[in-house]
Amino acid sequence: MGPSFAGEWRIAGYDLDFRRQMGLAIKYHSFHKYALRGCSKIDAILPNLMETPIPTNIFNVTDTLVPLANQQGAVVVWAEGNTVSCGGRDGLSNTYIASVWIVDALLELNLAGVGEFFLSSTPKSNYAMYSSIKGTGVKVLPPYYGLYMFYLIIGGSSTRVSRLAHPGSAQLKLWLVENKSNPQTIYSIVAIHKDPTLGDITVTARLPNGETRAKIVRINAASPDAKSGISIAGRTFEASNDGKLTGVCSPDVVVAADGVFSFTVPWLTVAYLVPESNIFTVAQRASKMIKQLKESLALKIYQYELTIGLYMLEPWEKTLFNMFLLLMLSLAMYTTYAYLPDSATYLLAKSKYYLSSVDGS
């Protein structure tokens, strides 16, 4: 893991020089970046958040760092970031507009070559994903909807996105999603409508594999600043106290005419068109679950090494440290198993003696 930088990359030559000198010793290039400034509140307004493609200060990082990482065979990690810095901004970071921005930003960064994302979600901040409610469970907040929608679109690490050309507004964006995590490659289309000067827009698109029936999953809300009433294909987290979607899933079904799909995208809506035949068999689901489990385990190992500081060590040093830690844990478990029952019995007897003045030994 290399150093994580948060400044303007175009003037940070000393940091890039250091990364170049490290060469193959760096496996991850990480950066911290927020779309807008929240401390000074100079630019934390809705129009700036919806800038196309996304606020350019993030691309000031990726257009410099990604080529370097590609040369070194490293992975670029967005290690910290979200809509607005300094805890976010009320009325912006904790509203429906943040959900749309998250989907848009993560697709853009995926296309730019960023391999991993870690969105800031400090509890009680304006960009928190959820809040804990005493006695009732958790309350899912607007930013989580965007993250969940992105997961539905991407689905795993074997997915590639590309931009589709289209006439009209630059703030209407079309993406082709190619998912190779299953035995058969699945193509889908994502449309994001962010142009406030236009009403509902009709999108026409063709899937490469010639599908003729598809379903459309939409994320929408009543207004950009809505903090409630957000839904994904008719389902919502609002009535849930365990973090699971509730309600009936009701995606629109569209039929292609001469191989071309036509569907409507209202303003500030993310529409995800996926083939209706995208139904996995039990074996395919099991294969996908195993792959997701491996990815989750790899992430936990990465977080463990980052937390303990092992990422700075050589492989043999990591092995030595882990063997020592495992030995200490094994000795502690053996000692607990071998001596705790007798010690507990003895202490219980002595406690009984002191409390009742009767020797219980």
Side-chain angles (χ1 to χ4, degrees):
M1 186 74 177
S4 190
F5 199 75
E8 291 299 330
W9 285 84
R10 298 188 186 282
I11 60 174
Y14 63 90
D15 184 78
L16 292 177
D17 287 341
F18 170 76
R19 291 170 183 264
R20 292 190 184 98
Q21 292 170 8
M22 290 294 292
L24 297 179
I26 296 182
K27 296 181 180 179
Y28 299 92
H29 288 282
S30 64
F31 66 94
H32 296 183
K33 205 68 177 177
Y34 291 80
L36 302 175
R37 294 168 292 177
C39 302
S40 61
K41 294 183 173 62
I42 294 175
D43 59 1
I45 58 177
L46 189 147
N48 288 343
L49 187 64
M50 299 311 294
E51 179 186 344
T52 297
I54 59 172
T56 53
N57 63 2
I58 291 182
F59 283 113
N60 289 345
V61 176
T62 59
D63 62 6
T64 306
L65 192 56
V66 170
L68 176 61
N70 290 339
Q71 292 175 8
Q72 299 176 340
V75 177
V76 178
V77 180
W78 187 18
E80 178 187 331
N82 211 302
T83 51
V84 185
S85 61
C86 295
R89 188 171 186 183
D90 185 30
L92 193 65
S93 303
N94 55 357
T95 62
Y96 171 64
I97 195 68
S99 303
V100 177
W101 180 88
I102 286 174
V103 179
D104 184 29
L106 294 184
L107 286 173
E108 288 284 358
L109 289 173
N110 184 283
L111 179 65
V114 178
E116 297 181 9
F117 314 94
F118 293 89
L119 285 175
S120 299
S121 180
T122 308
K124 298 183 179 181
S125 65
N126 287 316
Y127 46 59
M129 298 289 172
Y130 58 87
S131 62
S132 178
I133 303 176
K134 187 176 181 180
T136 60
V138 297
K139 177 183 179 182
V140 175
L141 301 176
Y144 186 82
Y145 284 84
L147 195 62
Y148 186 86
M149 187 70 178
F150 178 74
Y151 169 76
L152 290 180
I153 295 169
I154 296 299
S157 60
S158 300
T159 303
R160 186 167 62 93
V161 300
S162 55
R163 202 187 307 276
L164 292 177
H166 62 86
S169 172
Q171 288 185 296
L172 172 64
K173 302 164 71 172
L174 295 180
W175 301 90
L176 177 65
V177 181
E178 183 181 358
N179 190 330
K180 294 185 176 181
S181 60
N182 300 287
Q184 180 181 2
T185 300
I186 297 172
Y187 295 94
S188 55
I189 292 174
V190 179
I192 304 177
H193 179 8
K194 305 186 300 177
D195 193 332
T197 65
L198 301 176
D200 295 356
I201 294 178
T202 300
V203 174
T204 57
R206 186 190 302 268
L207 290 175
N209 52 1
E211 293 281 350
T212 58
R213 291 179 62 88
K215 54 188 178 182
I216 300 178
V217 177
R218 291 186 175 91
I219 178 173
N220 48 34
S223 63
D225 58 354
K227 295 183 180 180
S228 61
I230 305 172
S231 64
I232 299 177
R235 307 185 74 191
T236 179
F237 290 104
E238 290 185 11
S240 171
N241 58 8
D242 59 0
K244 296 181 180 179
L245 283 168
T246 61
V248 179
C249 183
S250 53
D252 296 333
V253 176
V254 292
V255 180
D258 296 327
V260 178
F261 291 97
S262 177
F263 57 98
T264 301
V265 184
W267 178 56
L268 278 187
T269 297
V270 178
Y272 173 45
L273 183 142
V274 60
E276 194 177 40
S277 60
N278 185 16
I279 301 175
F280 306 127
T281 65
V282 174
Q284 290 171 337
R285 287 183 181 273
S287 176
K288 186 175 182 180
M289 288 178 62
I290 292 174
K291 183 173 183 178
Q292 290 177 338
L293 181 62
K294 290 180 179 179
E295 292 176 348
S296 178
L297 181 61
L299 176 60
K300 294 300 181 184
I301 293 174
Y302 168 69
Q303 292 173 334
Y304 161 71
E305 292 187 353
L306 191 64
T307 303
I308 303 298
L310 298 183
Y311 65 90
M312 298 182 295
L313 303 180
E314 294 292 333
W316 69 269
E317 294 175 318
K318 293 180 185 179
T319 302
L320 188 62
F321 176 85
N322 288 327
M323 290 177 60
F324 176 78
L325 181 62
L326 184 61
L327 176 62
M328 292 296 101
L329 289 174
S330 300
L331 291 175
M333 292 175 62
Y334 172 78
T335 302
T336 301
Y337 172 81
Y339 298 106
L340 183 60
D342 292 339
S343 299
T345 302
Y346 174 78
L347 290 175
L348 185 62
K350 298 303 293 182
S351 298
K352 183 178 179 181
Y353 169 77
Y354 285 120
L355 292 174
S356 61
S357 299
V358 178
D359 190 351
S361 60

